[in-house]
Amino acid sequence: MEYVFHIIIMVCIYIILVLSANLTIGVANLLTMCQAAFYGIGAYIGTLFLMQFNYSFVLIAIVVMFFTGAFSLLISYASARLKDDYFIIATMGFQLIVYTILYNWTDVTRGPYGIPGIPGIKLLRIIEISGIYGYLCLSLVMMAIVVLLFRHLINSPFGRALNAVRADEMTAQALGRNTIRLKSMAFFISAAFTGLAGTIYASYVSYIDPTSFTLDESIFIISALFIGGIGNTKGPVLGAVFVVLLPELLRFVGLPDSIAANLRQIIYGLALILVMFYRPQGILGKTILK
Amino acid sequence: MIGQFIVNGVITGVIYSLMAIGFALVYNTTRIFHIAVAGIYVFAAYMFWVAKWYLNCSFSNAFMLAVLLTMGLSLLTELAVYRPLKNRNASTNVMMIASIGLMTIIINLIAMFFGNETKVIENTIMMPYHRGNIIITQPQLFQALVGGMVILVFMFILLWTKWGLKLRALSTDETLFETLGFDTNQARSYIFLASGALVASASCLTVYDVGLDPNMGMSVTINAIVAMIIGGVGKFNTCIIGGIVLGVLQSLTVYEFASNWQNAVTFLVLLIFLFLRPQGIAGYKQRTV
């Protein structure tokens, strides 16, 4: 049973990650390759606060979201100056710089050795969440909040304005929208929730090292997003569920581990190409990437 | 001592240049962000390894075989993925996502067949050459000579032949190229063949020196993209400048700091170029960026 709970927790974390990516990539059409960088920044900042201070979860969540969001200002600056491919490359560069720093700044991050023994999250400073049931409840609640929030955001005036930026940035500007500010807000929200997912992950696994936050992880999150669909809420949720459940399904088929890992990646790649061919908006998505 | 690092940097730069031209060939002409070259690079390396160890070919025969097979794979990516997507009027971003999928498939198929561990091409000890204080190993000599020759042949084709003229025309304006009655699809096929050949030669020359594993493609590809950008997007000879500048820069980073900060310095330089001089060292000034 714990195995099923573990999968549910991972599904919840990935739903938060993929939904956050959807806000910038799907709604605002700003293709970024640095989601794993924010995931990592959130995980490391969360770890720092969990280990050093005895704060309650709500406070830690707010602090992590604020600081991770602050890092997104760099990406906002890049998005104001660079277009299309140049922007994608800049975000890729940001991702690789963050990874290199996490890997090499051994005084703070312990580099490749990782940080073991991350304490559990404390609700209201007293009740420490421990055991798989605690994390199950926490991640389900957080997932539900994030799903509802993003659903609301996409249909709110803010979401509609972002949609206008995607459809035609010039027109949106001509109609008096400050598109740079809109994009910055989208990046901030996206990065903040990605960081929150990172903190939940760090506390749940209780061990982090930089190899969880590579460019490949960014590509993995994007793959999940594009397979599921972009521009609405159900698409990303489906994508996250698909990429987390697929390896478990393959396990039941009874393939040897060495083949199963590669086969899984091949299925992701194939799904990505097929989706781009026959349904570029993704299986349940709404908008098409421009 | 610093001379040694500069020589090493220039030789690495030749490899980056090859790879950057291979990427730029596709990028400048079709606007596809061809990340799948990472997979093609790994494929070439494994074909080289198979030819060397299973078919017992000599260095030059194995090299030829790997280049030919890789050209085939490169053409296959165009025929099986990019051209159908183009016929469906897919945007370049959609093609990039498909390219990521393609790369994942190629790399993992190779890992499934050959395993994830590192393999070596040559395990004999070779005598290095000394010139004053500078030491050049035999694989490095191959990289400099063969790589330099491939670049020269490519530049000759680009600048002095009808094909080169067509290629430059296609990279300037695809619609006009088609309007004037040239076959875009045929030209694209040749471009993918040439790109495959360049990527394969970069791959074989590198793995002859350092060995091969299925996950090595991405970092080389990213370095090639950086080389292309700091050289200047839109032309091909700028890739050579970019490649060599990047190679020397990385080598000097190792000399000055340590090799683990190499990537951070590379991308800082990339970001500086993107913000302050997006046209690169010698590229065209573009209006869109």
Side-chain angles (χ1 to χ4, degrees):
Chain A
M1 207 56 198
E2 297 216 331
Y3 166 71
V4 177
F5 289 159
H6 168 72
I7 294 170
I8 295 174
I9 294 171
M10 288 318 283
V11 167
C12 290
I13 290 175
Y14 271 92
I15 286 176
I16 300 176
L17 285 175
V18 178
L19 270 175
S20 311
N22 178 47
L23 188 68
T24 50
I25 298 173
V27 183
N29 203 57
L30 297 157
L31 189 51
T32 60
M33 288 269 198
C34 56
Q35 292 300 321
F38 293 126
Y39 188 33
I41 291 172
Y44 273 91
I45 294 178
T47 303
L48 181 75
F49 278 89
L50 282 170
M51 291 184 88
Q52 302 289 337
F53 308 102
N54 189 24
Y55 292 155
S56 72
F57 173 63
V58 179
L59 189 61
I60 286 183
I62 290 170
V63 169
V64 166
M65 286 169 78
F66 177 76
F67 280 112
T68 317
F71 277 99
S72 80
L73 293 177
L74 295 167
I75 300 299
S76 308
Y77 178 70
S79 83
R81 293 284 303 272
L82 307 169
K83 295 269 177 300
D84 301 336
D85 296 341
Y86 290 86
F87 174 64
I88 298 171
I89 295 165
T91 58
M92 219 188 241
F94 176 72
Q95 162 72 52
L96 287 155
I97 289 174
V98 168
Y99 174 73
T100 314
I101 291 174
L102 289 183
Y103 199 87
N104 290 320
W105 195 14
T106 39
D107 297 344
V108 176
T109 64
R110 285 173 47 88
Y113 303 110
I115 303 177
I118 301 166
I121 287 168
K122 292 191 183 66
L123 282 180
L124 305 171
R125 289 178 70 176
I126 317 155
I127 317 155
E128 182 169 341
I129 294 185
S130 56
I132 202 149
Y133 293 100
Y135 280 100
L136 183 70
C137 296
L138 178 82
S139 55
L140 278 173
V141 169
M142 289 316 295
M143 188 268 286
I145 293 174
V146 170
V147 167
L148 290 176
L149 183 84
F150 275 100
R151 205 161 146 175
H152 174 75
L153 262 183
I154 289 171
N155 295 318
S156 69
F158 170 67
R160 285 172 202 281
L162 273 186
N163 245 318
V165 171
R166 178 183 63 83
D168 192 339
E169 193 174 342
M170 289 283 229
T171 311
Q173 272 172 345
L175 290 171
R177 293 287 180 182
N178 186 347
T179 55
I180 291 176
R181 201 169 138 246
L182 280 169
K183 285 195 230 170
S184 308
M185 281 165 72
F187 281 123
F188 191 94
I189 297 171
S190 167
F193 281 98
T194 311
L196 181 68
T199 304
I200 297 175
Y201 172 79
S203 170
Y204 168 57
V205 182
S206 83
Y207 168 82
I208 47 170
D209 69 340
T211 51
S212 313
F213 313 111
T214 54
L215 180 63
D216 289 339
E217 179 70 17
S218 281
I219 290 179
F220 181 68
I221 294 171
I222 292 177
S223 308
L225 175 63
F226 280 103
I227 293 170
I230 57 175
N232 55 7
T233 333
K234 42 185 184 183
V237 172
L238 176 79
V241 173
F242 173 77
V243 294
V244 180
L245 285 191
L246 182 70
E248 312 303 330
L249 290 178
L250 285 179
R251 192 169 301 180
F252 282 114
V253 180
L255 288 166
D257 268 0
S258 55
I259 293 183
N262 291 320
L263 188 66
R264 184 178 86 211
Q265 296 284 337
I266 292 171
I267 294 175
Y268 294 150
L270 208 58
L272 213 50
I273 292 182
L274 289 178
V275 163
M276 287 300 122
F277 259 81
Y278 298 107
R279 224 180 134 71
Q281 68 268 51
I283 297 171
L284 288 178
K286 198 175 81 180
T287 57
I288 295 178
L289 191 70
K290 278 209 292 186
Chain B
M1 193 60 182
I2 193 161
Q4 176 73 55
F5 277 92
I6 290 178
V7 168
N8 288 352
V10 171
I11 292 173
T12 321
V14 171
I15 301 291
Y16 287 160
S17 307
L18 280 173
M19 195 70 187
I21 297 174
F23 185 86
L25 263 175
V26 175
Y27 182 72
N28 288 347
T29 52
T30 64
R31 296 281 140 202
I32 299 170
F33 205 75
H34 188 34
I35 293 188
V37 288
I40 292 171
Y41 180 87
V42 175
F43 175 82
Y46 275 85
M47 289 306 109
F48 189 56
W49 183 79
V50 166
K52 199 87 176 45
W53 286 102
Y54 280 99
L55 310 176
N56 290 319
C57 297
S58 64
F59 175 81
S60 51
N61 285 346
F63 185 85
M64 293 290 180
L65 192 67
V67 168
L68 280 177
L69 287 171
T70 312
M71 285 163 80
L73 179 72
S74 183
L75 184 62
L76 193 68
T77 61
E78 152 76 353
L79 295 182
V81 177
Y82 295 133
R83 190 175 295 175
L85 273 176
K86 187 183 160 234
N87 292 340
R88 287 163 189 266
N89 286 324
S91 68
T92 49
N93 275 340
V94 167
M95 292 208 197
M96 192 192 91
I97 301 294
S99 188
I100 289 177
L102 201 58
M103 175 194 78
T104 318
I105 293 176
I106 297 173
I107 289 179
N108 284 288
L109 275 177
I110 288 171
M112 210 154 103
F113 277 109
F114 296 100
N116 273 310
E117 65 277 10
T118 305
K119 297 185 190 317
V120 287
I121 298 280
E122 194 72 64
N123 49 13
T124 52
I125 298 169
M126 288 172 284
M127 287 311 286
Y129 302 95
H130 293 263
R131 279 278 172 280
N133 286 331
I134 294 165
I135 303 164
I136 295 179
T137 62
Q138 211 169 329
Q140 277 187 316
L141 198 70
F142 272 131
Q143 289 176 353
L145 292 181
V146 182
M149 221 157 67
V150 173
I151 291 179
L152 280 182
V153 169
F154 174 77
M155 290 318 288
F156 174 79
I157 293 174
L158 184 74
L159 294 174
W160 302 102
T161 65
K162 201 179 78 186
W163 282 111
L165 191 62
K166 272 190 178 178
L167 207 152
R168 281 180 287 156
L170 187 62
S171 72
T172 317
D173 193 335
E174 191 184 332
T175 323
L176 190 61
F177 186 80
E178 209 164 355
T179 316
L180 292 173
F182 294 107
D183 187 349
T184 322
N185 281 343
Q186 193 198 30
R188 276 172 66 124
S189 301
Y190 283 115
I191 284 164
F192 273 89
L193 282 175
S195 161
L198 285 158
V199 171
S201 36
S203 172
C204 296
L205 289 170
T206 313
V207 298
Y208 184 64
D209 193 6
V210 296
L212 58 162
D213 69 89
N215 300 310
M216 63 183 181
M218 200 59 185
S219 67
V220 183
T221 307
I222 291 172
N223 279 324
I225 295 171
V226 175
M228 182 185 84
I229 289 175
I230 65 177
V233 176
K235 299 190 206 168
F236 297 102
N237 44 6
T238 53
C239 292
I240 304 169
I241 305 172
I244 288 176
V245 167
L246 185 67
V248 172
L249 198 80
Q250 288 189 343
S251 188
L252 290 180
T253 312
V254 177
Y255 176 71
E256 201 62 45
F257 309 106
S259 64
N260 47 3
W261 289 103
Q262 206 168 308
N263 272 338
V265 171
T266 307
F267 289 102
L268 272 182
V269 171
L270 170 75
L271 292 182
I272 291 169
F273 264 96
L274 280 178
F275 286 117
L276 300 180
R277 204 177 156 81
Q279 74 268 36
I281 297 171
Y284 296 117
K285 200 152 191 154
Q286 286 173 329
R287 228 184 302 165
T288 46
V289 178

